[in-house]
Amino acid sequence: MADYNVIVIGAGPAGYVAAIRCAQLGMKTACIDKWINSEGKSSLGGTCLNVGCIPSKALLDSSHHYYFMQKHAATHGITCKDLDIDVAAMQARKATVVKKLTQGIGALFKNNKVTSIEGTARLIGNQQIEVTAHDGSKQTLTTDNIIIATGSVPAKIPVAPTDDKLIVDSTGALAFDSVPQRLGVIGAGAIGLELGSVWSRLGSQVTILEALPDFLATADRKIATFAQRELKKQGLDIHLGASVTGTTVANNEVTVSYKDDKGEQQLLVDKLIVAVGRKPNTESLGAGELGIQINERGFIEVDEFRQTAVPGIYAVGDVIGGPMLAHKGSEEGVMVAERLAGHKSEMSYDTVPWVIYTWPEVAWVGKTEAELKGVAYKVGQFPFAASGRAQAHGDTSGMVRILADAETDRLLGVHIFGISASELISEAVVAMEFDGSAEDLARMIHAHPTLAEAVHEAALGVDGRMIHA
Ligand code: FAD
Ligand code: AMP
């Protein structure tokens, strides 16, 4: 008999959720994770909890409070004479949030009887894993099934090698101990925009260089245009079509060379963040040797139920690509666990929500207009400027846009730029998951005054019957 029914490799949001669900369903489960935090201690939760979703939101929230006090509090009749930033305190608060949540995973493992194993896992057989502990000692474990959830690491580019001092990746950018005066960011994806926003709100002069000609190329075009304008107003200098070609470090400064439609350009900054995407993590895993297919971009190939080419070995989360988002990985983990227990679980990739936590936030689910080529659709659009709650809040930028099938009224896409877009999008996810129509949203009673009324109004707008705009 094998040591375990299931061994999960990786305790990020894909892996730890898979492990907990397996254990809940009666499988003897272990989860192996190698993460060592900046204090040299093992820490569960993967990228998301340690150096991703959670610490970035902690800093986004702190920096937003400062920005609000500086720029907007006075309009609410609140003034503060000695407003100041204590970066060390801000970072300490972030660390406390991270610690609480990462330790929480340990408690969840305990409560659900998941065996947590610290160390690096390597596949040495279809049902055999070698674990190297942090002290170098090795053990071999046997298991009926394996779930690979080894996640991803920041992608590197040869033209901007990180030195962890002046040129950093997202992890380094979450740990600055002071506010850089001039900050460069390569990449205007979610991570570049969020980290650029944090330091810009705290006073950095931020320049973002993005190789693509379009801002947020995968988002709704109108939303992207509004978001770009708003972020520019906040001080983010975003250069599109600007491809970085080299960097040099001298005198405690970084010179970034880039090429745009005007030719060769240079930018001088005190710190540079490289935020050019993430790379799947299969290093030293032994996956290829076992016959697991890895594609040219390094992602593990899986079938629709996340099984690799080797029966009994599954892969979930960032390591298989698709939307590299925590919630996508978690749901894949649940699906695999439940199918191992004989359930018929499936996952709906069409309703994975996307969020960019700028201020205000960008969130969407479903198709953009560009993706609806050849489909007849109607659009309902409602501006937050016409929302009573947004007015009361004092934050009226942005809009809700709803795309619905012209014939059936079925919801095809919902796109939001505005405060709490990350929360508002859930209503759209629910509606779309139930194959809802714009009429369904329009008929639902929304509490007043709420920001969600903007979603309601946009749904009414699909049929040209908005009340407040
Ligand atoms: P990971 O979280 O990367 O976890 C993988 C784990 O496996 C790690 O702990 C790693 O140490 C371990 N591991 C790897 N190889 C081995 C091995 N051989 N043996 C043992 N252990 C191993 N996503 C969102 O949805 N929302 C956000 O707001 C968001 N913000 C982000 C902000 C930043 C700055 C960054 C960098 C990312 C953000 N993401 C966000 C992306 C999100 O963090 C990832 O999509 C998510 O963490 C992927 O989960 P995962 O479980 O697949 O992998
Ligand atoms: P994401 O993958 O969404 O995190 O976004 C990363 C962004 O970095 C993408 O929009 C890329 O176009 C951009 N990018 C990658 N390499 C470069 C480069 N050399 N110069 C400028 N932008 C880049």
Side-chain angles (χ1 to χ4, degrees):
M1 208 174 85
D3 298 325
Y4 292 96
N5 298 125
V6 183
I7 292 183
V8 182
I9 307 176
Y16 82 74
V17 170
I20 289 172
R21 191 72 189 113
C22 283
Q24 282 175 346
L25 291 163
M27 290 172 255
K28 190 177 176 202
T29 308
C31 183
I32 306 168
D33 194 275
K34 66 174 184 181
W35 196 280
I36 300 281
N37 66 16
S38 54
E39 291 168 4
K41 296 194 177 126
S42 292
S43 183
L44 300 170
T47 303
C48 175
L49 269 63
N50 288 287
V51 294
C53 324
I54 297 299
S56 59
K57 269 75 237 176
L59 291 184
L60 278 159
D61 286 342
S62 296
S63 61
H64 177 69
H65 293 316
Y66 175 71
Y67 188 81
F68 171 80
M69 285 306 296
Q70 209 185 32
K71 305 275 181 189
H72 301 299
T75 65
H76 291 261
I78 304 165
T79 48
C80 174
K81 289 209 173 62
D82 296 313
L83 191 62
D84 205 358
I85 305 166
D86 179 345
V87 175
M90 209 175 271
Q91 292 289 16
R93 189 195 84 93
K94 179 201 81 179
T96 306
V97 173
V98 168
K99 196 168 186 182
K100 207 168 177 180
L101 290 169
T102 52
Q103 289 182 345
I105 307 292
L108 291 174
F109 276 176
K110 223 174 180 174
N111 294 346
N112 286 283
K113 300 193 172 43
V114 173
T115 304
S116 183
I117 301 173
E118 295 172 6
T120 303
R122 196 166 68 86
L123 303 167
I124 54 171
N126 291 11
Q127 296 183 313
Q128 266 190 326
I129 294 175
E130 180 189 74
V131 188
T132 307
H134 299 311
D135 64 5
S137 61
K138 291 185 192 297
Q139 63 170 320
T140 300
L141 300 170
T142 57
T143 177
D144 301 326
N145 296 284
I146 295 170
I147 303 177
I148 301 171
T150 50
S152 62
V153 292
K156 293 185 184 298
I157 42 173
V159 289
T162 52
D163 60 10
D164 295 335
K165 288 193 189 88
L166 300 192
I167 307 183
V168 299
D169 59 20
S170 56
T171 303
L174 287 167
F176 288 158
D177 56 10
S178 61
V179 180
Q181 203 194 333
R182 298 160 302 173
L183 175 65
V185 181
I186 310 180
I191 294 174
L193 290 174
E194 291 181 16
L195 295 174
S197 293
V198 165
W199 297 107
S200 160
R201 291 171 193 169
L202 297 177
S204 291
Q205 182 189 321
V206 176
T207 307
I208 303 185
L209 303 172
E210 167 57 54
L212 295 176
D214 293 322
F215 184 64
L216 292 181
T218 54
D220 175 272
R221 284 302 80 212
K222 278 223 170 83
I223 296 277
T225 306
F226 265 80
Q228 188 183 353
R229 204 176 301 157
E230 187 61 37
L231 294 176
K232 194 173 172 194
K233 266 199 260 166
Q234 289 169 21
L236 292 180
D237 188 10
I238 302 166
H239 292 236
L240 299 174
S243 204
V244 174
T245 53
T247 45
T248 48
V249 176
N251 305 323
N252 235 8
E253 291 179 326
V254 187
T255 304
V256 187
S257 304
Y258 64 97
K259 219 197 250 166
D260 63 12
D261 55 359
K262 292 187 206 82
E264 291 285 350
Q265 313 266 4
Q266 288 201 324
L267 172 74
L268 203 60
V269 292
D270 301 300
K271 297 262 188 198
L272 177 67
I273 304 174
V274 180
V276 295
R278 297 190 54 86
K279 189 172 81 88
N281 192 6
T282 52
E283 206 186 337
S284 315
L285 184 63
E289 292 88 317
L290 275 193
I292 291 172
Q293 301 296 308
I294 296 180
N295 69 24
E296 68 288 347
R297 295 179 57 218
F299 293 107
I300 292 181
E301 300 242 306
V302 288
D303 67 13
E304 63 174 317
F305 299 122
R306 311 297 122 192
Q307 186 163 227
T308 66
V310 178
I313 304 187
Y314 300 79
V316 294
D318 278 12
V319 77
I320 62 168
M324 289 170 88
L325 298 167
H327 43 283
K328 189 252 1 179
S330 298
E331 288 311 313
E332 286 172 339
V334 168
M335 177 178 73
V336 170
E338 292 182 350
R339 292 192 79 86
L340 284 174
H343 300 190
K344 298 275 177 267
S345 307
E346 289 184 13
M347 176 166 163
S348 169
Y349 285 87
D350 291 341
T351 50
V352 174
W354 294 80
V355 181
I356 301 169
Y357 294 82
T358 47
W359 192 274
E361 295 166 344
V362 180
W364 74 91
V365 57
K367 301 265 191 274
T368 60
E369 288 187 80
E371 289 167 335
L372 288 176
K373 279 215 175 78
V375 178
Y377 62 92
K378 300 175 285 181
V379 183
Q381 181 173 312
F382 186 80
F384 280 104
S387 148
R389 190 64 210 268
Q391 290 278 358
H393 199 278
D395 233 311
T396 53
S397 49
M399 60 179 75
V400 178
R401 307 192 77 227
I402 295 186
L403 314 178
D405 189 288
E407 204 180 316
T408 64
D409 196 42
R410 192 168 153 252
L411 292 165
L412 300 173
V414 176
H415 304 267
I416 306 176
F417 177 55
I419 46 166
S420 298
S422 58
E423 305 290 342
L424 296 178
I425 202 66
S426 288
E427 174 179 8
V429 173
V430 172
M432 287 179 69
E433 188 63 34
F434 283 92
D435 235 348
S437 61
E439 181 69 11
D440 288 329
L441 280 184
R443 291 278 163 203
M444 279 178 213
I445 301 169
H446 290 71
H448 175 76
T450 56
L451 296 166
E453 287 172 302
V455 177
H456 182 228
E457 287 276 0
L460 287 166
V462 167
D463 201 26
R465 52 187 223 267
M466 283 190 296
I467 303 292
H468 295 94

